[in-house]
Amino acid sequence: MLLHVIVPAVISALGWGLKPILDKKALGYFDFMEYFFVKMLILGIFALLFVVLNYKLISGRITKKSMKWVIYAIIVQFLAVTSYFYAL
């Protein structure tokens, strides 16, 4: 049971720790808007693939109220990531 907590926590910590370093290196080759566009395009493809593969799981849970909060979260994430890359 503890393994189900520790392994994801370690992977998450490594990901969040390495992300700024890798983003900074990548921004040496791209303008921040180019990098942001390519990154969001790839994330969008993965999100679409996730929805297609898990359609049966999520089809009964989507309501107007839940979609409102998803859209709010997307807007906040977009602003946060854009500001993050601009700061780098």
Side-chain angles (χ1 to χ4, degrees), residues 57-72:
L57 179 68
I58 63 174
S59 64
R61 297 180 178 200
I62 297 175
T63 64
K64 250 185 180 180
K65 188 175 182 179
S66 67
M67 283 307 295
K68 176 180 78 169
W69 288 105
V70 169
I71 290 171
Y72 290 158

Side-chain angles (χ1 to χ4, degrees), residues 3-74:
L3 194 61
H4 295 293
V5 175
I6 293 175
V7 172
V10 169
I11 292 171
S12 177
L14 286 173
W16 282 103
L18 292 174
K19 185 183 178 318
I21 297 166
L22 297 174
D23 285 339
K24 187 69 171 176
K25 292 278 188 188
L27 286 171
Y29 299 99
F30 296 101
D31 180 62
F32 92 95
M33 284 306 286
E34 293 170 341
Y35 181 63
F36 179 70
F37 175 76
V38 170
K39 187 171 183 168
M40 290 299 120
L41 184 65
I42 293 169
L43 286 173
I45 291 169
F46 279 121
L48 185 61
L49 183 64
F50 178 80
V51 169
V52 168
L53 293 176
N54 293 301
Y55 179 73
K56 288 182 181 178
L57 179 68
I58 63 174
S59 64
R61 297 180 178 200
I62 297 175
T63 64
K64 250 185 180 180
K65 188 175 182 179
S66 67
M67 283 307 295
K68 176 180 78 169
W69 288 105
V70 169
I71 290 171
Y72 290 158
I74 289 170

